[in-house]
Structure formats: C-alpha cells, structure tokens
Amino acid sequence: GPGMPLFSVPKEVAVGTAMLGVAFATGMLVVFVTAKTPRSLIGKSSPLWQYLLDHSLREHPVLRKLRLLTADHPYSKMMVSCDQAQLMANLVKLIKAKKVIEIGVFTGYNTLNMALVLPDNGRVIACDINEDYATIGKPLWKEAGVEHKIDLRIKPAIQTLDELLARGEAETFDFAFIDADKESYNEYYEKCLHLIKKGGIIAIDNVLWSGRVLNPRKDDLATQSIHHLNEKLLRDTRVNISMLPMGDGVTLAFKL
C-alpha cells in the first residue's frame, strides 16, 4: 500500500515504477503463480536486488540527478523503475530509432533516458496532460544537451496521436512507450500500432498492475482495461510479444 517501507534500498534506487494511484514496490521483479508464491521474486530488501542494480545500472549523471529529484516528489511512485528505463533506452538504440512516442511523461526520467541514445536529429514526441511534473525534468533535459530532441505536447495523448496520423506520419515512428491512464490503453495501443513502422516496438507498462489482473473487479475499469489488452495482445497476429516481469510488468509488442 501507500505506506510501504523502502526497506534497505537507498533513496537513489528507491523510486517506484510508473503507476497511478498504486504504490507498488520499486523495481520489484514479480511473479504471480500460486497463492503460496511470494509476491516478490527479488524484493527491494533482497541483497540480490541490490546486486542486480550494482551490476547492471549504468546511469548518466543527469539521469541520476533527475531520479533523486523525482524521489522527493509526493507521486514519486509514478516514475518508471530505473532498470526498466535503461532497457527502453537499450531497445531504442538497438533498433536505431529516430522517432519515438512516449505517452505519459511525469518528470521525464524515461524521456531523458531515450533522448540520450537518440541521434542528434532524433525526436521524442512526449505526451502528457500535466506540465507541472514535466517542469521538474525540463532543466535537466537541457543540462544533458538533449532538450532539442524532446517535443513535449501538453494535451490529451489521443489528440496528439490523431494529429500525427492526420499529418501523414503513420508508419514513420520506431518506438512507442505507453504509460498513462489505463482506461485508454487499448486506444493508445491501436493508434501507436498505426504510427509505428514494421519492425518497430511498442512497450506497454503496468501490464501486471500489482497482480490485480489475476482477478479484475467489475467496478475496476483500470484493471479491466489492462486485462482485456493483455488477452488481446496474446492473440494479436499483427505483433510478436514478450511480457516481462520487470517493474510492474511490461509487454513488448514487435510490429510485424
């Protein structure tokens, strides 16, 4: 719950995975198999989790600065986990992406991570409805020298996606990261699928939703939306998928 302790992990790594209204433990690798299975495969109090970070996290100094700033924010648990953001950046670099869509910016940690690996003429179309959060990251985008690669659009993301499609930008983007209001996930996915080129990747965050997807309540629209999209993705012949137990669960959809 919201009062979940940070255990032994220092604040430097104790920043939550991107999530609205759910205080899910930072960066936990989660497996939900049976009622007897521990919720956390590698919890924050585990020396193994610290070992994982110590032996995999390569963080730009400005990224670290932004993560620490975000850790002090009342809604810090909305930020994507640092190890997951690093994976997103590695994927962006792997496919030599130039055009990226991000739906849900918060303070812009993941935005900065991706912008750092884009070529100088690369762009992140960063979509959010709250500019206050993004103002925390903006000065650090500039400090890192990537401000010109980030196109922040403060309006409903559906509107931005529709504008991109109307301008003939279908199948011109390489990568999309979806992490905003869960009720709109299916619509975000469908529009991103039109905007992403073949061979591109759509990353969908919070697909495990603290385990709520195991038994979605009828009155819980967010969980219902995530669960329905998870079921749809399993059978979607337009993509290949991998669902990863990283952070709060992330599905990678590779457009065919």
Side-chain angles (χ1 to χ4, degrees):
M4 187 175 288
L6 295 179
F7 299 112
S8 63
V9 176
K11 187 175 71 173
E12 284 86 337
V13 296
V15 176
T17 189
M19 177 179 297
L20 281 170
V22 179
F24 184 73
T26 306
M28 278 189 178
L29 302 185
V30 180
V31 176
F32 302 95
V33 181
T34 70
K36 295 180 181 179
T37 303
R39 282 173 65 91
S40 57
L41 181 63
I42 304 180
K44 291 183 301 178
S45 58
S46 167
L48 192 57
W49 166 240
Q50 190 63 54
Y51 182 91
L52 185 154
L53 291 174
D54 290 344
H55 293 82
S56 68
L57 189 62
R58 299 179 179 181
E59 198 172 38
H60 189 285
V62 183
L63 271 173
R64 183 178 182 276
K65 189 185 293 189
L66 179 51
R67 183 159 52 80
L68 291 175
L69 277 174
T70 306
D72 289 329
H73 195 280
Y75 299 122
S76 62
K77 294 174 182 68
M78 286 169 55
M79 196 188 92
V80 66
S81 61
C82 50
D83 57 322
Q84 184 179 326
Q86 180 169 286
L87 175 61
M88 298 305 105
N90 282 335
L91 289 171
V92 166
K93 191 171 184 179
L94 176 69
I95 63 174
K96 296 180 171 61
K98 289 187 178 179
K99 292 178 70 177
V100 172
I101 301 167
E102 183 183 40
I103 303 173
V105 176
F106 190 39
T107 63
Y109 179 86
N110 194 54
T111 321
L112 175 57
N113 224 325
M114 294 190 294
L116 282 165
V117 300
L118 285 173
D120 198 58
N121 63 345
R123 292 293 179 273
V124 180
I125 306 296
C127 308
D128 211 305
I129 55 171
N130 189 320
E131 194 163 16
D132 292 342
Y133 299 150
T135 56
I136 296 170
K138 276 182 177 180
L140 297 176
W141 298 347
K142 186 172 184 179
E143 184 180 335
V146 297
E147 185 182 37
H148 64 288
K149 300 183 192 178
I150 300 170
D151 182 355
L152 181 64
R153 312 270 181 102
I154 303 296
K155 62 178 74 172
I158 295 295
Q159 190 177 330
T160 296
L161 298 175
D162 282 340
E163 288 169 358
L164 293 170
L165 288 166
R167 285 205 296 265
E169 296 195 52
E171 299 194 340
T172 66
F173 285 83
D174 305 288
F175 188 90
F177 184 73
I178 300 174
D179 180 23
D181 61 295
K182 311 311 168 191
E183 291 85 350
S184 301
Y185 259 34
N186 184 66
E187 198 170 0
Y188 293 147
Y189 170 69
E190 287 295 335
K191 291 184 186 298
C192 284
L193 199 59
H194 286 301
L195 286 163
I196 295 289
K197 61 178 65 170
K198 289 183 179 179
I201 302 171
I202 301 173
I204 305 158
D205 202 19
N206 303 119
V207 294
L208 295 179
W209 204 226
S210 274
R212 286 182 171 90
V213 291
L214 284 177
N215 188 25
R217 297 196 324 266
K218 289 182 179 179
D219 63 338
D220 186 347
L221 295 181
T223 304
Q224 289 281 354
S225 296
I226 295 168
H227 177 59
H228 289 152
L229 181 58
N230 287 343
E231 291 196 321
K232 171 179 170 174
L233 285 167
L234 178 63
R235 298 170 177 83
D236 194 338
T237 57
R238 299 170 295 177
V239 294
N240 284 333
I241 64 166
S242 287
M243 182 186 278
L244 308 178
M246 171 179 270
D248 190 32
V250 58
T251 293
L252 303 177
F254 305 84
K255 184 173 177 179
L256 299 172

